[in-house]
Amino acid sequence: MNAKGDANRSVRSTKKKLYHALIQLLQEKDLREITVRELTELAGISRGTFYFHYADIYALMEQLEASQLEGLCSLLDGIVPNASQEEVPYALVALFRYMEENAEVCRALYGKSWESPFLHNAKEVVLRRCMGEFPHGTSERNRYLLSFIVDGCFGTIQQWQQAGYAPPAPEMAETAWKAIRAVKRLL
């Protein structure tokens, strides 16, 4: 492989180490309490390498959140347009499986109290995406109904996480889908 490919692999590896270290530290403390020193020591990289890639820990967090929101949008592309079908969209099952398989990152981003800035941003992304798909989605009544769907889905996920991801992801996706479709009929 050429030097550029190796460098890209090296950069991806470094960023992956930083993401994992950040996620681990976020399990223990708030972002504002994390130092670059402890982050880099846990990741096994130098502080200079960290500062080569990021201005500060907040920049790293922004990038981590952006990548998670991008993944969420990708999954929404497979869920929202299928709101009229009976069977559970594969993308909704994939969303629940992702959350089950990436429990640490989800807990870190959604926050201990489920009132994190990331959660607020995720809800906004989902709400905006839904409004674009449903007819008359911007009427006041429909904004309330869509907000109910979004908050209900995130609340369901929170309960599921607190229950230790039981029942399995496909069953949770089916439960959420039934609730979404019930409210969608009112739109």
Side-chain angles (χ1 to χ4, degrees):
M1 179 163 277
N2 65 26
K4 186 176 182 181
D6 289 336
N8 289 338
R9 188 175 337 142
S10 175
V11 168
R12 284 192 304 271
S13 175
T14 298
K15 289 184 175 188
K16 187 175 182 178
K17 288 176 186 178
L18 287 168
Y19 285 166
H20 287 293
L22 180 61
I23 289 164
Q24 188 175 340
L25 290 169
L26 285 168
Q27 301 297 312
E28 304 163 12
K29 54 178 82 177
D30 290 333
L31 183 64
R32 67 182 177 277
E33 299 170 340
I34 298 172
T35 66
V36 172
R37 180 179 307 277
E38 68 183 325
L39 177 72
T40 55
E41 284 176 5
L42 185 59
I45 64 164
S46 72
R47 289 176 51 150
T49 300
F50 174 84
Y51 285 115
F52 178 78
H53 294 287
Y54 301 101
D56 55 26
I57 289 178
Y58 296 98
L60 170 62
M61 185 69 175
E62 274 183 36
Q63 192 172 77
L64 177 61
E65 288 177 346
S67 74
Q68 293 298 309
L69 288 174
E70 184 178 313
L72 178 60
C73 286
S74 178
L75 287 168
L76 286 172
D77 289 342
I79 298 170
V80 177
N82 297 310
S84 59
Q85 73 182 38
E86 284 295 321
E87 60 275 354
V88 180
Y90 172 78
L92 186 58
V93 176
L95 174 64
F96 276 93
R97 280 199 175 122
Y98 173 83
M99 297 189 90
E100 186 175 50
E101 293 166 1
N102 297 279
E104 287 184 348
V105 71
C106 291
R107 273 192 303 273
L109 291 175
Y110 293 119
K112 296 168 188 75
S113 69
W114 274 76
E115 292 303 323
S116 70
F118 175 79
L119 179 61
H120 175 75
N121 292 338
K123 286 181 177 181
E124 282 297 313
V125 164
V126 174
L127 191 58
R128 275 187 268 120
R129 180 68 172 85
C130 290
M131 280 185 182
E133 285 294 323
F134 296 117
H136 313 295
T138 57
S139 75
E140 184 176 45
R141 177 180 180 273
N142 285 356
R143 281 195 309 272
Y144 287 127
L145 290 170
L146 289 172
S147 180
F148 183 83
I149 290 172
V150 171
D151 285 335
C153 286
F154 280 98
T156 299
I157 291 166
Q158 178 186 18
Q159 286 297 119
W160 183 57
Q161 284 180 328
Q162 290 173 353
Y165 298 97
E171 192 175 325
M172 282 307 302
E174 182 178 354
T175 299
W177 190 242
K178 286 179 179 177
I180 290 167
R181 290 195 24 81
V183 177
K184 193 250 178 208
R185 286 185 197 110
L186 300 172
L187 292 172

PDB file of all heavy atoms in Angstrom, residues 135-171:
ATOM      1  N   PRO A 135     -47.530  14.371   4.683  1.00  0.00           N
ATOM      2  CA  PRO A 135     -48.339  15.467   4.152  1.00  0.00           C
ATOM      3  C   PRO A 135     -48.839  16.344   5.298  1.00  0.00           C
ATOM      4  O   PRO A 135     -49.202  15.844   6.354  1.00  0.00           O
ATOM      5  CB  PRO A 135     -49.500  14.775   3.443  1.00  0.00           C
ATOM      6  CG  PRO A 135     -49.367  13.328   3.684  1.00  0.00           C
ATOM      7  CD  PRO A 135     -48.112  13.070   4.447  1.00  0.00           C
ATOM      8  N   HIS A 136     -48.824  17.604   5.068  1.00  0.00           N
ATOM      9  CA  HIS A 136     -49.282  18.582   6.059  1.00  0.00           C
ATOM     10  C   HIS A 136     -48.497  18.458   7.374  1.00  0.00           C
ATOM     11  O   HIS A 136     -49.027  18.746   8.442  1.00  0.00           O
ATOM     12  CB  HIS A 136     -50.780  18.446   6.332  1.00  0.00           C
ATOM     13  CG  HIS A 136     -51.612  18.347   5.092  1.00  0.00           C
ATOM     14  ND1 HIS A 136     -51.717  19.372   4.200  1.00  0.00           N
ATOM     15  CD2 HIS A 136     -52.321  17.314   4.585  1.00  0.00           C
ATOM     16  CE1 HIS A 136     -52.490  18.981   3.191  1.00  0.00           C
ATOM     17  NE2 HIS A 136     -52.859  17.752   3.406  1.00  0.00           N
ATOM     18  N   GLY A 137     -47.238  18.007   7.286  1.00  0.00           N
ATOM     19  CA  GLY A 137     -46.410  17.775   8.467  1.00  0.00           C
ATOM     20  C   GLY A 137     -46.108  19.023   9.258  1.00  0.00           C
ATOM     21  O   GLY A 137     -45.709  18.941  10.406  1.00  0.00           O
ATOM     22  N   THR A 138     -46.340  20.194   8.654  1.00  0.00           N
ATOM     23  CA  THR A 138     -45.986  21.410   9.367  1.00  0.00           C
ATOM     24  C   THR A 138     -47.177  22.078  10.044  1.00  0.00           C
ATOM     25  O   THR A 138     -47.018  23.132  10.640  1.00  0.00           O
ATOM     26  CB  THR A 138     -45.309  22.415   8.412  1.00  0.00           C
ATOM     27  OG1 THR A 138     -46.187  22.674   7.324  1.00  0.00           O
ATOM     28  CG2 THR A 138     -43.981  21.867   7.915  1.00  0.00           C
ATOM     29  N   SER A 139     -48.368  21.459   9.968  1.00  0.00           N
ATOM     30  CA  SER A 139     -49.487  22.049  10.695  1.00  0.00           C
ATOM     31  C   SER A 139     -49.203  21.909  12.193  1.00  0.00           C
ATOM     32  O   SER A 139     -48.454  21.037  12.618  1.00  0.00           O
ATOM     33  CB  SER A 139     -50.802  21.350  10.341  1.00  0.00           C
ATOM     34  OG  SER A 139     -50.870  20.087  10.966  1.00  0.00           O
ATOM     35  N   GLU A 140     -49.813  22.782  12.978  1.00  0.00           N
ATOM     36  CA  GLU A 140     -49.555  22.760  14.420  1.00  0.00           C
ATOM     37  C   GLU A 140     -49.910  21.397  15.026  1.00  0.00           C
ATOM     38  O   GLU A 140     -49.133  20.819  15.792  1.00  0.00           O
ATOM     39  CB  GLU A 140     -50.342  23.873  15.111  1.00  0.00           C
ATOM     40  CG  GLU A 140     -50.047  23.957  16.590  1.00  0.00           C
ATOM     41  CD  GLU A 140     -50.766  25.116  17.248  1.00  0.00           C
ATOM     42  OE1 GLU A 140     -51.968  25.323  16.972  1.00  0.00           O
ATOM     43  OE2 GLU A 140     -50.104  25.805  18.035  1.00  0.00           O
ATOM     44  N   ARG A 141     -51.054  20.867  14.667  1.00  0.00           N
ATOM     45  CA  ARG A 141     -51.495  19.567  15.184  1.00  0.00           C
ATOM     46  C   ARG A 141     -50.488  18.483  14.821  1.00  0.00           C
ATOM     47  O   ARG A 141     -50.106  17.668  15.661  1.00  0.00           O
ATOM     48  CB  ARG A 141     -52.860  19.228  14.615  1.00  0.00           C
ATOM     49  CG  ARG A 141     -53.381  17.872  15.041  1.00  0.00           C
ATOM     50  CD  ARG A 141     -54.768  17.609  14.419  1.00  0.00           C
ATOM     51  NE  ARG A 141     -55.284  16.339  14.794  1.00  0.00           N
ATOM     52  CZ  ARG A 141     -55.022  15.215  14.132  1.00  0.00           C
ATOM     53  NH1 ARG A 141     -54.260  15.221  13.070  1.00  0.00           N
ATOM     54  NH2 ARG A 141     -55.549  14.069  14.535  1.00  0.00           N
ATOM     55  N   ASN A 142     -50.042  18.459  13.578  1.00  0.00           N
ATOM     56  CA  ASN A 142     -49.106  17.429  13.145  1.00  0.00           C
ATOM     57  C   ASN A 142     -47.734  17.590  13.777  1.00  0.00           C
ATOM     58  O   ASN A 142     -47.059  16.599  14.040  1.00  0.00           O
ATOM     59  CB  ASN A 142     -49.014  17.391  11.622  1.00  0.00           C
ATOM     60  CG  ASN A 142     -50.252  16.747  11.015  1.00  0.00           C
ATOM     61  OD1 ASN A 142     -51.126  16.279  11.736  1.00  0.00           O
ATOM     62  ND2 ASN A 142     -50.316  16.725   9.708  1.00  0.00           N
ATOM     63  N   ARG A 143     -47.323  18.823  14.040  1.00  0.00           N
ATOM     64  CA  ARG A 143     -46.046  19.021  14.739  1.00  0.00           C
ATOM     65  C   ARG A 143     -46.116  18.401  16.129  1.00  0.00           C
ATOM     66  O   ARG A 143     -45.169  17.768  16.593  1.00  0.00           O
ATOM     67  CB  ARG A 143     -45.691  20.506  14.824  1.00  0.00           C
ATOM     68  CG  ARG A 143     -45.115  21.061  13.533  1.00  0.00           C
ATOM     69  CD  ARG A 143     -44.445  22.412  13.729  1.00  0.00           C
ATOM     70  NE  ARG A 143     -45.268  23.392  14.419  1.00  0.00           N
ATOM     71  CZ  ARG A 143     -46.132  24.222  13.830  1.00  0.00           C
ATOM     72  NH1 ARG A 143     -46.268  24.193  12.531  1.00  0.00           N
ATOM     73  NH2 ARG A 143     -46.835  25.079  14.541  1.00  0.00           N
ATOM     74  N   TYR A 144     -47.256  18.542  16.795  1.00  0.00           N
ATOM     75  CA  TYR A 144     -47.421  17.928  18.111  1.00  0.00           C
ATOM     76  C   TYR A 144     -47.394  16.400  18.005  1.00  0.00           C
ATOM     77  O   TYR A 144     -46.768  15.720  18.823  1.00  0.00           O
ATOM     78  CB  TYR A 144     -48.716  18.377  18.784  1.00  0.00           C
ATOM     79  CG  TYR A 144     -48.672  19.799  19.279  1.00  0.00           C
ATOM     80  CD1 TYR A 144     -49.642  20.710  18.914  1.00  0.00           C
ATOM     81  CD2 TYR A 144     -47.659  20.225  20.140  1.00  0.00           C
ATOM     82  CE1 TYR A 144     -49.615  22.019  19.376  1.00  0.00           C
ATOM     83  CE2 TYR A 144     -47.622  21.530  20.609  1.00  0.00           C
ATOM     84  CZ  TYR A 144     -48.602  22.415  20.217  1.00  0.00           C
ATOM     85  OH  TYR A 144     -48.553  23.697  20.678  1.00  0.00           O
ATOM     86  N   LEU A 145     -48.098  15.866  17.018  1.00  0.00           N
ATOM     87  CA  LEU A 145     -48.128  14.412  16.846  1.00  0.00           C
ATOM     88  C   LEU A 145     -46.738  13.858  16.504  1.00  0.00           C
ATOM     89  O   LEU A 145     -46.328  12.823  17.038  1.00  0.00           O
ATOM     90  CB  LEU A 145     -49.149  14.013  15.786  1.00  0.00           C
ATOM     91  CG  LEU A 145     -50.615  14.205  16.183  1.00  0.00           C
ATOM     92  CD1 LEU A 145     -51.531  14.011  14.982  1.00  0.00           C
ATOM     93  CD2 LEU A 145     -50.993  13.257  17.313  1.00  0.00           C
ATOM     94  N   LEU A 146     -46.024  14.558  15.622  1.00  0.00           N
ATOM     95  CA  LEU A 146     -44.673  14.111  15.265  1.00  0.00           C
ATOM     96  C   LEU A 146     -43.736  14.212  16.463  1.00  0.00           C
ATOM     97  O   LEU A 146     -42.897  13.339  16.678  1.00  0.00           O
ATOM     98  CB  LEU A 146     -44.134  14.915  14.082  1.00  0.00           C
ATOM     99  CG  LEU A 146     -44.792  14.619  12.743  1.00  0.00           C
ATOM    100  CD1 LEU A 146     -44.326  15.609  11.683  1.00  0.00           C
ATOM    101  CD2 LEU A 146     -44.516  13.194  12.303  1.00  0.00           C
ATOM    102  N   SER A 147     -43.893  15.252  17.239  1.00  0.00           N
ATOM    103  CA  SER A 147     -43.085  15.397  18.447  1.00  0.00           C
ATOM    104  C   SER A 147     -43.379  14.247  19.409  1.00  0.00           C
ATOM    105  O   SER A 147     -42.465  13.695  20.040  1.00  0.00           O
ATOM    106  CB  SER A 147     -43.378  16.744  19.112  1.00  0.00           C
ATOM    107  OG  SER A 147     -42.614  16.891  20.273  1.00  0.00           O
ATOM    108  N   PHE A 148     -44.641  13.861  19.500  1.00  0.00           N
ATOM    109  CA  PHE A 148     -45.036  12.738  20.342  1.00  0.00           C
ATOM    110  C   PHE A 148     -44.370  11.446  19.870  1.00  0.00           C
ATOM    111  O   PHE A 148     -43.870  10.650  20.678  1.00  0.00           O
ATOM    112  CB  PHE A 148     -46.566  12.598  20.314  1.00  0.00           C
ATOM    113  CG  PHE A 148     -47.100  11.507  21.194  1.00  0.00           C
ATOM    114  CD1 PHE A 148     -47.299  11.729  22.546  1.00  0.00           C
ATOM    115  CD2 PHE A 148     -47.414  10.275  20.672  1.00  0.00           C
ATOM    116  CE1 PHE A 148     -47.798  10.732  23.372  1.00  0.00           C
ATOM    117  CE2 PHE A 148     -47.913   9.264  21.481  1.00  0.00           C
ATOM    118  CZ  PHE A 148     -48.111   9.499  22.835  1.00  0.00           C
ATOM    119  N   ILE A 149     -44.340  11.232  18.559  1.00  0.00           N
ATOM    120  CA  ILE A 149     -43.692  10.047  17.998  1.00  0.00           C
ATOM    121  C   ILE A 149     -42.198  10.046  18.342  1.00  0.00           C
ATOM    122  O   ILE A 149     -41.661   9.051  18.829  1.00  0.00           O
ATOM    123  CB  ILE A 149     -43.877   9.974  16.461  1.00  0.00           C
ATOM    124  CG1 ILE A 149     -45.335   9.656  16.105  1.00  0.00           C
ATOM    125  CG2 ILE A 149     -42.936   8.936  15.848  1.00  0.00           C
ATOM    126  CD1 ILE A 149     -45.650   9.756  14.623  1.00  0.00           C
ATOM    127  N   VAL A 150     -41.529  11.164  18.085  1.00  0.00           N
ATOM    128  CA  VAL A 150     -40.085  11.246  18.304  1.00  0.00           C
ATOM    129  C   VAL A 150     -39.755  11.056  19.784  1.00  0.00           C
ATOM    130  O   VAL A 150     -38.901  10.239  20.144  1.00  0.00           O
ATOM    131  CB  VAL A 150     -39.519  12.581  17.769  1.00  0.00           C
ATOM    132  CG1 VAL A 150     -38.070  12.772  18.174  1.00  0.00           C
ATOM    133  CG2 VAL A 150     -39.660  12.636  16.255  1.00  0.00           C
ATOM    134  N   ASP A 151     -40.425  11.810  20.656  1.00  0.00           N
ATOM    135  CA  ASP A 151     -40.150  11.677  22.092  1.00  0.00           C
ATOM    136  C   ASP A 151     -40.511  10.277  22.592  1.00  0.00           C
ATOM    137  O   ASP A 151     -39.810   9.719  23.447  1.00  0.00           O
ATOM    138  CB  ASP A 151     -40.893  12.740  22.892  1.00  0.00           C
ATOM    139  CG  ASP A 151     -40.253  14.113  22.759  1.00  0.00           C
ATOM    140  OD1 ASP A 151     -39.049  14.196  22.482  1.00  0.00           O
ATOM    141  OD2 ASP A 151     -40.973  15.113  22.930  1.00  0.00           O
ATOM    142  N   GLY A 152     -41.581   9.720  22.060  1.00  0.00           N
ATOM    143  CA  GLY A 152     -41.971   8.363  22.444  1.00  0.00           C
ATOM    144  C   GLY A 152     -40.935   7.329  22.037  1.00  0.00           C
ATOM    145  O   GLY A 152     -40.618   6.413  22.804  1.00  0.00           O
ATOM    146  N   CYS A 153     -40.380   7.488  20.852  1.00  0.00           N
ATOM    147  CA  CYS A 153     -39.342   6.554  20.402  1.00  0.00           C
ATOM    148  C   CYS A 153     -38.092   6.651  21.275  1.00  0.00           C
ATOM    149  O   CYS A 153     -37.540   5.631  21.693  1.00  0.00           O
ATOM    150  CB  CYS A 153     -38.979   6.823  18.943  1.00  0.00           C
ATOM    151  SG  CYS A 153     -40.247   6.262  17.795  1.00  0.00           S
ATOM    152  N   PHE A 154     -37.666   7.863  21.556  1.00  0.00           N
ATOM    153  CA  PHE A 154     -36.484   8.019  22.395  1.00  0.00           C
ATOM    154  C   PHE A 154     -36.755   7.538  23.819  1.00  0.00           C
ATOM    155  O   PHE A 154     -35.891   6.957  24.463  1.00  0.00           O
ATOM    156  CB  PHE A 154     -35.972   9.462  22.369  1.00  0.00           C
ATOM    157  CG  PHE A 154     -35.151   9.760  21.149  1.00  0.00           C
ATOM    158  CD1 PHE A 154     -35.714  10.385  20.052  1.00  0.00           C
ATOM    159  CD2 PHE A 154     -33.816   9.417  21.095  1.00  0.00           C
ATOM    160  CE1 PHE A 154     -34.968  10.652  18.925  1.00  0.00           C
ATOM    161  CE2 PHE A 154     -33.049   9.678  19.973  1.00  0.00           C
ATOM    162  CZ  PHE A 154     -33.622  10.306  18.881  1.00  0.00           C
ATOM    163  N   GLY A 155     -37.964   7.747  24.315  1.00  0.00           N
ATOM    164  CA  GLY A 155     -38.326   7.244  25.634  1.00  0.00           C
ATOM    165  C   GLY A 155     -38.331   5.716  25.669  1.00  0.00           C
ATOM    166  O   GLY A 155     -37.890   5.101  26.642  1.00  0.00           O
ATOM    167  N   THR A 156     -38.823   5.104  24.606  1.00  0.00           N
ATOM    168  CA  THR A 156     -38.815   3.650  24.487  1.00  0.00           C
ATOM    169  C   THR A 156     -37.386   3.125  24.500  1.00  0.00           C
ATOM    170  O   THR A 156     -37.076   2.141  25.181  1.00  0.00           O
ATOM    171  CB  THR A 156     -39.535   3.212  23.195  1.00  0.00           C
ATOM    172  OG1 THR A 156     -40.889   3.659  23.253  1.00  0.00           O
ATOM    173  CG2 THR A 156     -39.482   1.709  23.000  1.00  0.00           C
ATOM    174  N   ILE A 157     -36.515   3.794  23.774  1.00  0.00           N
ATOM    175  CA  ILE A 157     -35.105   3.389  23.732  1.00  0.00           C
ATOM    176  C   ILE A 157     -34.478   3.522  25.116  1.00  0.00           C
ATOM    177  O   ILE A 157     -33.743   2.643  25.560  1.00  0.00           O
ATOM    178  CB  ILE A 157     -34.342   4.217  22.678  1.00  0.00           C
ATOM    179  CG1 ILE A 157     -34.808   3.831  21.276  1.00  0.00           C
ATOM    180  CG2 ILE A 157     -32.832   4.031  22.829  1.00  0.00           C
ATOM    181  CD1 ILE A 157     -34.371   4.792  20.186  1.00  0.00           C
ATOM    182  N   GLN A 158     -34.790   4.599  25.809  1.00  0.00           N
ATOM    183  CA  GLN A 158     -34.249   4.799  27.155  1.00  0.00           C
ATOM    184  C   GLN A 158     -34.693   3.664  28.081  1.00  0.00           C
ATOM    185  O   GLN A 158     -33.878   3.094  28.814  1.00  0.00           O
ATOM    186  CB  GLN A 158     -34.708   6.143  27.719  1.00  0.00           C
ATOM    187  CG  GLN A 158     -34.219   6.395  29.123  1.00  0.00           C
ATOM    188  CD  GLN A 158     -34.791   7.667  29.729  1.00  0.00           C
ATOM    189  OE1 GLN A 158     -35.789   8.197  29.258  1.00  0.00           O
ATOM    190  NE2 GLN A 158     -34.145   8.154  30.765  1.00  0.00           N
ATOM    191  N   GLN A 159     -35.971   3.338  28.069  1.00  0.00           N
ATOM    192  CA  GLN A 159     -36.475   2.250  28.911  1.00  0.00           C
ATOM    193  C   GLN A 159     -35.796   0.938  28.559  1.00  0.00           C
ATOM    194  O   GLN A 159     -35.445   0.146  29.429  1.00  0.00           O
ATOM    195  CB  GLN A 159     -37.992   2.110  28.752  1.00  0.00           C
ATOM    196  CG  GLN A 159     -38.780   3.191  29.430  1.00  0.00           C
ATOM    197  CD  GLN A 159     -38.583   3.170  30.929  1.00  0.00           C
ATOM    198  OE1 GLN A 159     -38.100   4.132  31.502  1.00  0.00           O
ATOM    199  NE2 GLN A 159     -38.930   2.085  31.577  1.00  0.00           N
ATOM    200  N   TRP A 160     -35.616   0.708  27.265  1.00  0.00           N
ATOM    201  CA  TRP A 160     -34.996  -0.522  26.778  1.00  0.00           C
ATOM    202  C   TRP A 160     -33.548  -0.617  27.251  1.00  0.00           C
ATOM    203  O   TRP A 160     -33.100  -1.666  27.690  1.00  0.00           O
ATOM    204  CB  TRP A 160     -35.113  -0.552  25.264  1.00  0.00           C
ATOM    205  CG  TRP A 160     -34.601  -1.769  24.591  1.00  0.00           C
ATOM    206  CD1 TRP A 160     -34.978  -3.066  24.813  1.00  0.00           C
ATOM    207  CD2 TRP A 160     -33.643  -1.807  23.542  1.00  0.00           C
ATOM    208  NE1 TRP A 160     -34.311  -3.904  23.968  1.00  0.00           N
ATOM    209  CE2 TRP A 160     -33.491  -3.154  23.178  1.00  0.00           C
ATOM    210  CE3 TRP A 160     -32.920  -0.835  22.871  1.00  0.00           C
ATOM    211  CZ2 TRP A 160     -32.625  -3.558  22.163  1.00  0.00           C
ATOM    212  CZ3 TRP A 160     -32.064  -1.228  21.860  1.00  0.00           C
ATOM    213  CH2 TRP A 160     -31.912  -2.574  21.515  1.00  0.00           C
ATOM    214  N   GLN A 161     -32.834   0.507  27.172  1.00  0.00           N
ATOM    215  CA  GLN A 161     -31.453   0.512  27.659  1.00  0.00           C
ATOM    216  C   GLN A 161     -31.415   0.232  29.153  1.00  0.00           C
ATOM    217  O   GLN A 161     -30.590  -0.536  29.632  1.00  0.00           O
ATOM    218  CB  GLN A 161     -30.779   1.848  27.363  1.00  0.00           C
ATOM    219  CG  GLN A 161     -30.384   2.010  25.919  1.00  0.00           C
ATOM    220  CD  GLN A 161     -29.729   3.347  25.647  1.00  0.00           C
ATOM    221  OE1 GLN A 161     -30.036   4.353  26.280  1.00  0.00           O
ATOM    222  NE2 GLN A 161     -28.817   3.368  24.696  1.00  0.00           N
ATOM    223  N   GLN A 162     -32.297   0.848  29.906  1.00  0.00           N
ATOM    224  CA  GLN A 162     -32.327   0.643  31.358  1.00  0.00           C
ATOM    225  C   GLN A 162     -32.700  -0.791  31.725  1.00  0.00           C
ATOM    226  O   GLN A 162     -32.322  -1.276  32.780  1.00  0.00           O
ATOM    227  CB  GLN A 162     -33.274   1.644  32.013  1.00  0.00           C
ATOM    228  CG  GLN A 162     -32.750   3.055  31.971  1.00  0.00           C
ATOM    229  CD  GLN A 162     -33.757   4.089  32.471  1.00  0.00           C
ATOM    230  OE1 GLN A 162     -34.909   3.783  32.732  1.00  0.00           O
ATOM    231  NE2 GLN A 162     -33.302   5.326  32.590  1.00  0.00           N
ATOM    232  N   ALA A 163     -33.426  -1.462  30.844  1.00  0.00           N
ATOM    233  CA  ALA A 163     -33.813  -2.859  31.078  1.00  0.00           C
ATOM    234  C   ALA A 163     -32.734  -3.830  30.604  1.00  0.00           C
ATOM    235  O   ALA A 163     -32.977  -5.045  30.577  1.00  0.00           O
ATOM    236  CB  ALA A 163     -35.140  -3.156  30.384  1.00  0.00           C
ATOM    237  N   GLY A 164     -31.584  -3.313  30.213  1.00  0.00           N
ATOM    238  CA  GLY A 164     -30.491  -4.185  29.780  1.00  0.00           C
ATOM    239  C   GLY A 164     -30.657  -4.739  28.381  1.00  0.00           C
ATOM    240  O   GLY A 164     -30.213  -5.845  28.087  1.00  0.00           O
ATOM    241  N   TYR A 165     -31.344  -3.986  27.520  1.00  0.00           N
ATOM    242  CA  TYR A 165     -31.554  -4.356  26.118  1.00  0.00           C
ATOM    243  C   TYR A 165     -32.365  -5.642  25.981  1.00  0.00           C
ATOM    244  O   TYR A 165     -32.091  -6.482  25.131  1.00  0.00           O
ATOM    245  CB  TYR A 165     -30.218  -4.443  25.366  1.00  0.00           C
ATOM    246  CG  TYR A 165     -29.512  -3.118  25.360  1.00  0.00           C
ATOM    247  CD1 TYR A 165     -28.520  -2.830  26.301  1.00  0.00           C
ATOM    248  CD2 TYR A 165     -29.861  -2.132  24.456  1.00  0.00           C
ATOM    249  CE1 TYR A 165     -27.897  -1.596  26.322  1.00  0.00           C
ATOM    250  CE2 TYR A 165     -29.239  -0.896  24.466  1.00  0.00           C
ATOM    251  CZ  TYR A 165     -28.265  -0.643  25.411  1.00  0.00           C
ATOM    252  OH  TYR A 165     -27.650   0.575  25.426  1.00  0.00           O
ATOM    253  N   ALA A 166     -33.349  -5.779  26.835  1.00  0.00           N
ATOM    254  CA  ALA A 166     -34.274  -6.899  26.730  1.00  0.00           C
ATOM    255  C   ALA A 166     -35.665  -6.312  26.574  1.00  0.00           C
ATOM    256  O   ALA A 166     -35.994  -5.345  27.250  1.00  0.00           O
ATOM    257  CB  ALA A 166     -34.204  -7.766  27.984  1.00  0.00           C
ATOM    258  N   PRO A 167     -36.472  -6.814  25.696  1.00  0.00           N
ATOM    259  CA  PRO A 167     -36.294  -7.939  24.785  1.00  0.00           C
ATOM    260  C   PRO A 167     -35.328  -7.631  23.639  1.00  0.00           C
ATOM    261  O   PRO A 167     -34.855  -6.498  23.530  1.00  0.00           O
ATOM    262  CB  PRO A 167     -37.711  -8.182  24.264  1.00  0.00           C
ATOM    263  CG  PRO A 167     -38.388  -6.863  24.338  1.00  0.00           C
ATOM    264  CD  PRO A 167     -37.778  -6.165  25.534  1.00  0.00           C
ATOM    265  N   PRO A 168     -35.076  -8.594  22.766  1.00  0.00           N
ATOM    266  CA  PRO A 168     -34.121  -8.397  21.671  1.00  0.00           C
ATOM    267  C   PRO A 168     -34.525  -7.263  20.718  1.00  0.00           C
ATOM    268  O   PRO A 168     -35.703  -6.884  20.640  1.00  0.00           O
ATOM    269  CB  PRO A 168     -34.113  -9.727  20.930  1.00  0.00           C
ATOM    270  CG  PRO A 168     -34.857 -10.690  21.777  1.00  0.00           C
ATOM    271  CD  PRO A 168     -35.660  -9.921  22.772  1.00  0.00           C
ATOM    272  N   ALA A 169     -33.526  -6.747  20.005  1.00  0.00           N
ATOM    273  CA  ALA A 169     -33.715  -5.596  19.102  1.00  0.00           C
ATOM    274  C   ALA A 169     -34.879  -5.768  18.117  1.00  0.00           C
ATOM    275  O   ALA A 169     -35.687  -4.842  17.967  1.00  0.00           O
ATOM    276  CB  ALA A 169     -32.417  -5.298  18.361  1.00  0.00           C
ATOM    277  N   PRO A 170     -35.028  -6.905  17.436  1.00  0.00           N
ATOM    278  CA  PRO A 170     -36.153  -7.026  16.486  1.00  0.00           C
ATOM    279  C   PRO A 170     -37.523  -6.869  17.150  1.00  0.00           C
ATOM    280  O   PRO A 170     -38.433  -6.257  16.590  1.00  0.00           O
ATOM    281  CB  PRO A 170     -35.983  -8.431  15.893  1.00  0.00           C
ATOM    282  CG  PRO A 170     -34.525  -8.724  16.053  1.00  0.00           C
ATOM    283  CD  PRO A 170     -34.133  -8.068  17.357  1.00  0.00           C
ATOM    284  N   GLU A 171     -37.648  -7.385  18.359  1.00  0.00           N
ATOM    285  CA  GLU A 171     -38.920  -7.270  19.085  1.00  0.00           C
ATOM    286  C   GLU A 171     -39.184  -5.816  19.492  1.00  0.00           C
ATOM    287  O   GLU A 171     -40.316  -5.325  19.421  1.00  0.00           O
ATOM    288  CB  GLU A 171     -38.893  -8.174  20.312  1.00  0.00           C
ATOM    289  CG  GLU A 171     -40.240  -8.343  20.963  1.00  0.00           C
ATOM    290  CD  GLU A 171     -40.208  -9.349  22.104  1.00  0.00           C
ATOM    291  OE1 GLU A 171     -39.466 -10.344  22.014  1.00  0.00           O
ATOM    292  OE2 GLU A 171     -40.936  -9.112  23.084  1.00  0.00           O
TER     293      GLU A 171
END
